[in-house]
């Protein structure tokens, strides 16, 4: 019998033989989609106008040597998505939103071998995406540890429509382009993977806060705003060993959950008629001194002005809440900054390095019993994205997510 040599993958046979001789067995990750089962088209939720999302059908493009095709499992709905939905402040319409997503690689270019942490990747791996730095601005060239400040950075879900179309996670498939940072996350549950991106925002903010030297085991840390970001921030601070955490919000359900995640004191600001009364409540919770460090996690200018008054002399704060321009606020430079010698830092998105820390945070939070996954309260399919946005805007839950019911 004559066997054509082209019918045999010699390299694959040798690899398997050597692996068996060494007693090694590489774990095979089953894929939910075989290459032959990938459809020619898929659906995506497109923001076509103010408060108007339409589900459209797009062709799935061919994948280049440096690209990947990911089947979307789900994606969280962020406050930034809501701002874009309400008013298109970034001028992106039409756009497929969604940047807190996760999914499974179903097709991969020949040049894509490893993720941004150096881990081998292939079809069947679960991934999340980070930033897409431009590689040629001043920050990228001279400050590579701060690519979150890249002047031309892209984030999936905030990329205007182009020939790819599948640029955001509010879709059934997503195309990962050359130059993207991404990570394999097979060891995390779907719910935890949906919380990676907002957790990275929080981890970056805490790293910025730690640079002031004011976050210690016995610090009295205040978190203003108990939406998803504020709640995750409480959880991160708690995993660091801080036990004195004060949470401020006007929603009792969110304050209750803040206590579950580690807040030792909660303050409902709706019970106070003016900022002076609120300041006294903070002092009462901090032994009469004020917070050692405070995180401002709302997008409300009045809250951004008030938080300076909650910080003790010599303390610090981190502004986390303004990822869009929601207006200006008024502070008194003498009383709020100079007289108290406040150390303030801003926080903007995250770096790829923050993702690595985030994975450990999520595992640690689970390990010490924090009910981190319970932050997700509402799940919607692609056809319900307008409803999902409205539920988010009405603050009926905490974390609202899109789940691909066709996965």
């Amino acid at each position: 019998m004559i066997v054509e040599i082209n019918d045999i993958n010699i390299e694959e046979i040798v690899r398997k033989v050597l692996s068996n001789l060494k007693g090694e067995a590489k774990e095979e990750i089953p894929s939910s989609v075989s290459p032959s089962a990938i459809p020619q088209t898929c659906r995506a939720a497109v923001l076509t106008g103010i408060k108007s999302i339409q589900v459209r059908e797009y062709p799935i493009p061919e994948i280049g040597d440096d690209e990947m095709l990911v089947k979307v499992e789900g994606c969280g709905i962020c406050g930034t998505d809501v701002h874009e939905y309400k008013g298109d402040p970034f001028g992106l319409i039409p756009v497929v939103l969604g940047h807190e997503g996760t999914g499974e690689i179903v097709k991969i270019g020949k040049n894509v071998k490893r993720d941004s942490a150096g881990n081998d990747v292939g079809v069947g791996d679960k991934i999340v995406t980070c930033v897409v730095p431009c590689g040629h601005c001043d920050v990228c060239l001279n400050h590579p540890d701060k690519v979150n400040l890249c002047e031309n950075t892209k984030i999936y879900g905030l990329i205007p429509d182009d020939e790819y179309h599948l640029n955001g996670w509010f879709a059934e498939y997503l195309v990962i382009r050359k130059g993207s940072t991404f990570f394999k996350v097979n060891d995390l549950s779907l719910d935890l993977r949906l919380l990676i991106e907002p957790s990275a925002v929080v981890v970056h903010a805490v790293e910025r806060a730690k640079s002031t030297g004011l976050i210690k085991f016995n610090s009295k840390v205040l978190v203003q705003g108990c939406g998803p970001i504020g709640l995750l921030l409480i959880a991160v601070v708690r995993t660091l060993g801080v036990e004195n955490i004060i949470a401020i919000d006007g929603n009792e359900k969110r304050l209750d959950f803040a206590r579950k995640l580690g807040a030792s004191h909660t303050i409902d600001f709706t019970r106070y008629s003016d900022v002076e009364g609120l300041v006294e409540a903070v002092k009462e919770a901090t032994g009469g001194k004020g917070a050692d460090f405070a995180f401002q996690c709302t997008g409300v200018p009045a809250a951004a002005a008030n938080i300076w008054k909650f910080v003790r002399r010599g303390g610090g704060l981190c502004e986390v809440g303004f990822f869009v321009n929601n207006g200006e606020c008024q502070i008194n430079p003498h009383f709020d900054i100079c007289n108290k010698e406040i150390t303030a830092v801003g926080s903007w998105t995250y770096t790829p390095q923050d993702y690595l820390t985030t994975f450990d945070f999520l595992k640690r939070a689970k390990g010490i019993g924090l009910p981190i996954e319970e932050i997700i309260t509402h799940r919607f399919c692609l056809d319900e994205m307008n409803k999902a946005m409205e539920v988010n805007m009405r603050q009926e839950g905490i974390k609202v997510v899109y789940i691909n019911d066709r996965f």
Side-chain angles (χ1 to χ4, degrees):
M1 180 177 69
I2 299 175
V3 179
E4 292 290 337
I5 192 69
N6 290 336
D7 293 338
I8 303 175
N9 188 334
I10 299 297
E11 183 180 356
E12 180 66 14
I13 292 174
V14 171
R15 187 188 66 78
K16 288 183 177 180
V17 169
L18 291 175
S19 178
N20 290 335
L21 288 174
K22 294 177 182 179
E24 299 173 353
K26 184 178 179 180
E27 179 185 0
E28 294 295 332
I29 301 171
S31 173
S32 65
V33 179
S34 65
S36 61
I38 298 173
Q40 293 184 332
T41 63
C42 71
R43 302 186 309 153
V46 186
L47 182 66
T48 58
I50 302 302
K51 293 187 178 181
S52 178
I53 292 176
Q54 298 179 7
V55 176
R56 292 181 174 177
E57 193 91 9
Y58 288 119
I60 295 178
E62 289 298 318
I63 300 302
D65 292 343
D66 300 291
E67 299 174 336
M68 296 185 296
L69 181 67
V70 173
K71 186 172 186 182
V72 177
E73 286 185 82
C75 182
I77 297 177
C78 175
T80 302
D81 296 318
V82 171
H83 283 298
E84 184 62 22
Y85 178 76
K86 291 192 298 184
D88 190 27
F90 304 116
L92 299 177
I93 291 176
V95 60
V96 178
L97 295 172
H99 54 274
E100 298 181 353
T102 184
E104 178 183 299
I105 300 172
V106 294
K107 188 181 287 187
I108 190 166
K110 68 178 183 181
N111 294 335
V112 183
K113 306 292 185 183
R114 296 176 179 83
D115 72 358
S116 299
N119 300 308
D120 293 339
V121 293
V123 170
D125 283 324
K126 313 290 187 180
I127 69 160
V128 292
T129 50
C130 188
V131 294
V132 188
C134 74
H136 55 74
C137 71
D138 176 68
V139 168
C140 287
L141 294 175
N142 299 310
H143 308 281
D145 59 326
K146 294 184 178 293
V147 294
N148 60 309
L149 302 180
C150 164
E151 297 171 6
N152 310 296
T153 190
K154 293 182 175 65
I155 294 178
Y156 288 101
L158 296 171
I159 299 175
D161 189 48
D162 57 17
E163 69 276 9
Y164 285 85
H165 298 302
L166 307 178
N167 297 327
W169 287 95
F170 290 173
E172 293 176 331
Y173 287 84
L174 176 72
V175 177
I176 307 298
R177 309 184 189 199
K178 181 180 179 180
S180 301
T181 54
F182 70 97
F183 297 91
K184 181 168 73 173
V185 285
N186 294 344
D187 56 343
L188 295 175
S189 69
L190 173 58
D191 282 356
L192 286 181
R193 283 185 275 132
L194 291 173
L195 295 173
I196 288 172
E197 196 274 354
S199 295
V201 169
V202 167
V203 164
H204 184 76
V206 172
E207 290 299 319
R208 293 283 291 141
K210 286 164 59 179
S211 70
T212 68
L214 293 168
I215 302 289
K216 302 175 182 178
F217 283 119
N218 62 343
S219 296
K220 295 177 175 61
V221 174
L222 182 143
V223 177
Q224 181 172 249
C226 293
I229 294 298
L231 290 171
L232 287 168
L233 208 152
I234 290 169
V236 169
V237 173
R238 186 67 190 89
T239 61
L240 293 177
V242 177
E243 296 189 357
N244 300 308
I245 304 172
I246 303 99
I248 298 180
D249 200 273
N251 184 310
E252 270 307 321
K253 289 184 179 179
R254 293 188 173 193
L255 290 173
D256 288 343
F257 198 62
R259 286 188 282 271
K260 291 182 181 179
L261 291 176
S264 53
H265 297 81
T266 57
I267 299 173
D268 184 346
F269 70 79
T270 65
R271 298 182 179 181
Y272 300 89
S273 59
D274 52 35
V275 66
E276 286 74 19
L278 198 53
V279 170
E280 288 304 312
V282 171
K283 286 185 176 180
E284 184 178 344
T286 56
K289 298 179 181 179
D292 295 306
F293 200 92
F295 291 90
Q296 204 295 112
C297 302
T298 80
V300 180
N306 291 345
I307 197 164
W308 296 83
K309 298 171 175 53
F310 303 151
V311 180
R312 68 165 175 82
R313 298 191 78 184
L317 66 85
C318 177
E319 176 56 64
V320 193
F322 286 82
F323 289 102
V324 297
N325 181 7
N326 281 343
E328 298 180 357
C329 69
Q330 182 174 324
I331 64 172
N332 185 304
H334 171 69
F335 289 113
D336 294 335
I337 303 176
C338 293
N339 180 264
K340 296 201 297 186
E341 201 167 90
I342 296 295
T343 301
V345 293
S347 182
W348 184 253
T349 65
Y350 38 69
T351 68
Q353 291 79 11
D354 293 319
Y355 267 56
L356 300 178
T357 306
T358 297
F359 304 148
D360 285 333
F361 151 65
L362 289 169
K363 294 171 186 176
R364 176 61 177 159
K366 287 277 290 183
I368 64 174
L370 299 183
I372 199 81
E373 291 156 301
E374 292 179 21
I375 288 178
I376 299 174
T377 56
H378 291 71
R379 294 168 170 81
F380 294 92
C381 67
L382 202 62
D383 293 312
E384 300 173 315
M385 291 307 295
N386 286 293
K387 180 179 179 181
M389 289 290 188
E390 296 295 331
V391 167
N392 199 321
M393 288 191 293
R394 292 194 296 267
Q395 296 187 3
E396 293 178 6
I398 299 176
K399 190 66 184 174
V400 180
V401 301
Y402 150 58
I403 298 294
N404 183 3
D405 57 355
R406 297 188 179 188
F407 186 82

